């Protein structure tokens, strides 16, 4: 018995598995008689406001399976956080199109948008089932044990550090790699997941949750270099100074006073830190930096098996909740079982509990010597899937 | 019948498959009665001069197989181009250690070092079989059809651009990715290998072989943006201006006149180009840059199957040549068969023909509109292995 149409959209930064959530929901919806047309909103809320939709039933299963395995929001994404009036317009468009199911894939801003539209529908007494499907490489959503998208991005970062560490061991010096994460250091922590021996880097991990002065940073990096003849360092783009300000902010100030340098590029923090470490060292020193960049969230073929599976399932679950009679919520993950027995189950969280709030790394996942704790490794290892064993012969 | 000992070393920048060449040679040598001890020189010529060696026979086959599959020179590498006196010292150490076989894995500088040591051995009438085993992500060695290491690095770049292109399609704007290659644009050309449809980026490819002014660059990038609503751009770190100078050089000049900015970081060229494009555009524009960094040469698990196979075989072949009675040379690749019939055979090139010279991309591999030609695609596609098919739904 047909109840109405469905809209699904994607919002915020891409992940490698965001289209698995999309197709998890769409394939599940296709099984139901209750759902009529299945619309994909192009570029999230912007596409709804502009009434730009595709119809999933127009595509072949083969094409949709290719889409499912492709990184980055297949429908297009947006960074637009709509104001109240825009949410009302969205509601009116939904009403006009007889939309009774709305699924919005994204982070905490996306949950907030869903929450606002949800309230409007309720006030107007219009039956709209509205679900947030979580995705973010940042792993910073509340309530859920972890976020779909994190495991794959952390896997990319862990592998990148494994390779960079061998590179640094082969041609010793100081290597500083900048990892995504403005407010929380989850992805930077992932740099440690491929370490197997005491000699392996990253030897130091800087996350926004633990402040540091530039002087301390240089001292700590150079101390590792003195000890090992090399240093592999992981730095969150959101690294903060003692006053809690972004390091990048003090850097910008410094640059501005020097000259009229445009401060837009993504390589700046790394280059700034390289400069500082070189100046703090008395002598000639090989210091390099890479900023890991968009590859962290969109590199094809690098994904975590459990993450890919869960990303598909959160999409599927959202549709199941809607069809079972639930009205609204955000699909959340509960972990059951540790290590090799790692498994998950899903539950429905309140939209308002997900909206706006950022989950930082808890204290017990970090150590005082710029490292992650065993508790973090136990938490994160099942999320990234099995990592390869790598080895060199130089003892470095 | 034992003839003497063997030394093998690695030099220059890492590749993902450089240890396949190492183990190809070592496993082949282990089969022969003629070769006594098999020494690995730590950090190339530096390790020989410092007499720092490991013995391969001390390691288990299992460990050596893990090493074979690990990126970056397992023995450690060096950037040291030895002078004549140092080469003479190397020769004396070889004589003392009864070394009769020397294999040196690296680029054209490495071939030159091998050539110098070879001449010394001949002058002193000492029987030393000396072979250069080619590796470089840059693909810039002469004589050989292509270089082991290139296929895997180009595969990393191609996949990275496939993901970045979908990312850019999902959140439109201008994205400029900087690719390794100071003197030749081979790796940057590889950015095109994952394109399947006309809409796919990279839409523009800048290589050192084709000069460009900053003004032209901005005009061309903005023209693509006006046409498509987005632009994905590949730039060689060695991009050159109309006078043939590195763009990065004019950039450094400009920065110096502005302030006392240290110019060491790898993100600078990208940030500089972002700044220029933003300033050339009348309005608000999303322009970002990533510098692909060391991941291009050391990202684990991303390698081309044919490249991995050939890297192993060039190592194997070098030892076979030595045991067959050849005295010296560099193992080179000849291509037989096109497309799906792609195959290779090996031959021995003169050390002096490989030393010093850089092979640029030939004219017929490039088009006048900042793109690669079909001839390049035909040349390069068999080298990177099969790439996945990716797809989005937004039409971008």
């Amino acid at each position: 018995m047909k109840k109405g149409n469905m809209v699904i959209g994607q919002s915020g930064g891409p992940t490698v598995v965001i289209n698995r959530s999309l197709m998890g929901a769409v394939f599940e919806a296709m099984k139901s008689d209750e759902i009529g047309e299945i619309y994909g909103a192009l570029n999230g809320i912007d596409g709804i406001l502009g009434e730009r939709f595709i119809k999933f039933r127009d595509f072949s299963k083969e094409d949709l399976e290719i889409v499912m395995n492709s990184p980055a929001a297949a429908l297009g994404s947006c960074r637009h956080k709509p104001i109240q009036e825009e949410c009302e317009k969205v509601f009116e468009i939904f009403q006009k199109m007889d939309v009774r199911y709305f699924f919005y894939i994204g982070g905490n801003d996306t949950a907030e948008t869903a929450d606002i539209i949800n309230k409007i529908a309720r006030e107007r007494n219009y039956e709209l089932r509205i679900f947030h499907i979580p995705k973010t490489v940042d792993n910073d959503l509340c309530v859920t044990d972890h976020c779909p998208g994190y495991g794959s991005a952390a896997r990319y970062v862990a592998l990148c550090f494994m390779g960079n560490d061998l590179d640094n061991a082969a041609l010793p010096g100081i290597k500083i790699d900048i990892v995504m994460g403005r407010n929380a250091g989850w992805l930077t922590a992932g740099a440690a997941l491929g370490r197997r021996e005491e000699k392996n880097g990253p030897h130091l991990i800087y996350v926004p949750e633990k402040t540091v002065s530039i002087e301390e940073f240089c001292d700590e990096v150079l101390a590792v270099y003195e000890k090992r003849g090399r240093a592999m360092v992981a730095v969150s783009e959101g690294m903060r100074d003692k006053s809690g300000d972004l390091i990048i902010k003090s850097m910008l100030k410094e640059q501005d006073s020097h000259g009229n340098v445009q401060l837009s590029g993504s390589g700046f923090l790394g280059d700034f830190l390289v400069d500082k470490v070189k100046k703090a060292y008395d002598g000639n020193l090989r210091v390099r930096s890479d900023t890991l960049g968009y590859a962290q969230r969109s590199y094809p073929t690098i994904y975590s098996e459990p993450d890919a599976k869960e990303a598909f399932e959160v999409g599927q679950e959202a549709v199941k909740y809607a069809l079972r009679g639930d009205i609204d919520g955000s699909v959340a993950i509960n972990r059951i079982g540790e290590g090799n027995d790692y498994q998950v189950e899903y539950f429905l969280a309140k939209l308002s509990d997900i909206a706006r709030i950022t989950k930082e790394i808890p204290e017990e996942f970090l150590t005082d010597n710029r490292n992650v704790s065993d508790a973090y490794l136990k938490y994160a290892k099942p999320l990234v899937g099995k990592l390869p064993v790598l080895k060199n012969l130089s003892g470095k």
Side-chain angles (χ1 to χ4, degrees), chain A:
Chain A
M1 194 189 59
K2 189 171 163 259
K3 281 207 176 161
N5 299 320
M6 158 175 163
V7 166
I8 188 163
Q10 295 171 303
S11 186
T15 82
V16 166
V17 296
I18 189 171
N19 295 324
R20 298 193 188 243
S21 298
L22 178 71
M23 294 318 306
V26 169
F27 286 145
E28 191 64 27
M30 282 177 170
K31 293 184 203 162
S32 162
D33 297 336
E34 286 187 24
I35 297 173
E37 204 61 78
I38 302 170
Y39 293 106
L42 297 179
N43 300 98
I45 215 77
D46 287 345
I48 302 174
L49 289 167
E51 301 189 40
R52 294 184 293 115
F53 297 99
I54 58 133
K55 294 175 179 179
F56 277 97
R57 297 195 201 270
D58 290 350
F59 292 85
S60 70
K61 189 158 182 284
E62 290 66 37
D63 273 356
L64 292 180
E65 274 169 0
I66 294 172
V67 167
M68 183 175 80
N69 293 312
S70 300
L75 292 170
S77 189
C78 70
R79 294 275 189 201
H80 181 184
K81 207 170 148 181
I83 54 172
Q84 181 72 24
E85 293 75 60
E86 287 172 315
C87 289
E88 279 168 25
K89 188 161 177 225
V90 166
F91 170 74
E92 282 154 24
I93 291 165
F94 280 176
Q95 221 174 2
K96 185 181 79 181
M97 291 171 66
D98 192 25
V99 171
R100 298 288 173 172
Y101 305 90
F102 177 45
F103 302 93
Y104 206 14
I105 306 169
N108 49 18
D109 282 350
T110 311
E112 191 178 352
T113 301
D115 196 30
I116 298 171
I117 299 168
N118 189 30
K119 281 174 187 149
I120 298 170
R122 292 208 185 194
E123 277 166 19
R124 312 273 176 102
N125 240 330
Y126 178 85
E127 194 185 323
L128 179 65
R129 307 210 166 161
I130 188 160
F131 293 86
H132 169 248
I133 299 172
K135 77 82 216 163
T136 167
V137 296
D138 294 324
N139 203 38
D140 60 356
L141 299 189
C142 285
V143 187
T144 188
D145 177 76
H146 59 277
C147 301
Y150 174 64
S152 295
R155 183 181 180 82
Y156 177 88
V157 171
L159 281 166
C160 196
F161 270 82
M162 289 171 80
N164 268 258
D165 190 50
L166 287 170
D167 194 315
N168 180 254
L171 285 168
I174 294 171
K175 180 79 195 298
I176 302 165
D177 280 355
I178 311 294
V179 184
M180 278 184 174
R182 206 168 172 84
N183 298 311
W186 290 104
L187 211 47
T188 310
L193 293 168
R195 287 191 309 220
R196 296 179 66 89
E197 297 179 61
E198 195 273 332
K199 68 179 184 179
N200 293 151
H203 308 108
L204 294 165
I205 299 174
Y206 295 88
V207 293
E209 289 84 349
K210 293 263 189 190
T211 61
V212 62
S213 70
I214 288 289
E215 294 69 32
E216 277 175 329
F217 176 81
C218 292
D219 287 351
E220 290 163 8
V221 169
L222 290 171
V224 169
Y225 180 75
E226 294 295 343
K227 182 184 164 195
R228 297 180 185 274
R230 70 184 190 95
M232 184 74 225
V233 183
V235 171
S236 277
E237 59 184 9
M239 187 164 85
R240 280 159 204 278
D241 65 21
K242 290 295 178 189
S243 64
D245 279 343
L246 289 170
I247 291 277
I248 207 167
K249 222 169 119 183
S250 60
M251 173 194 122
L252 299 197
K253 260 183 234 159
E254 200 174 309
Q255 297 276 16
D256 274 340
S257 70
H258 276 191
N260 196 16
V261 184
Q262 184 82 11
L263 300 160
S264 51
S266 61
F268 255 88
L269 177 61
D271 291 350
F272 174 79
L273 295 174
V274 165
D275 181 37
K276 291 293 177 191
V277 171
K278 279 190 168 177
K279 282 183 179 154
Y281 187 76
D282 187 23
N284 199 15
L285 189 56
R286 191 172 176 272
V287 192
R288 296 287 185 274
S289 171
D290 277 332
T291 301
L292 269 47
Y294 285 15
Q296 292 165 91
R297 63 188 204 187
S298 60
Y299 196 91
T301 74
I302 298 292
Y303 60 87
S304 140
E305 293 281 355
D307 185 38
K309 181 172 173 283
E310 292 169 13
F312 187 83
E313 287 174 353
V314 291
Q316 231 177 2
E317 288 296 318
V319 172
K320 283 184 189 168
Y321 284 122
L323 292 172
R324 232 179 268 156
D326 283 300
I327 301 299
D328 56 40
S330 174
V331 182
I333 298 174
N334 186 32
R335 179 191 304 236
I336 43 173
E338 306 284 352
N340 290 336
D341 296 326
Y342 169 82
Q343 277 187 59
V344 298
E345 59 185 12
Y346 302 97
F347 66 101
L348 211 47
K350 277 191 189 169
L351 285 172
S352 55
D353 286 350
I354 308 297
R356 278 178 302 270
I357 316 149
T358 294
K359 184 174 75 181
E360 295 186 352
I361 307 183
E363 192 62 32
E364 66 267 27
F365 280 4
L366 300 170
T367 67
D368 283 335
N369 59 346
R370 312 287 180 200
N371 208 334
V372 293
S373 69
D374 289 342
Y376 168 76
L377 297 174
K378 194 176 160 194
Y379 164 84
K381 281 196 172 174
L383 309 183
V384 298
K386 203 166 177 254
L387 290 166
V389 179
L390 306 177
K391 217 177 171 57
N392 65 14
L393 296 163
S394 65
K396 283 269 181 184

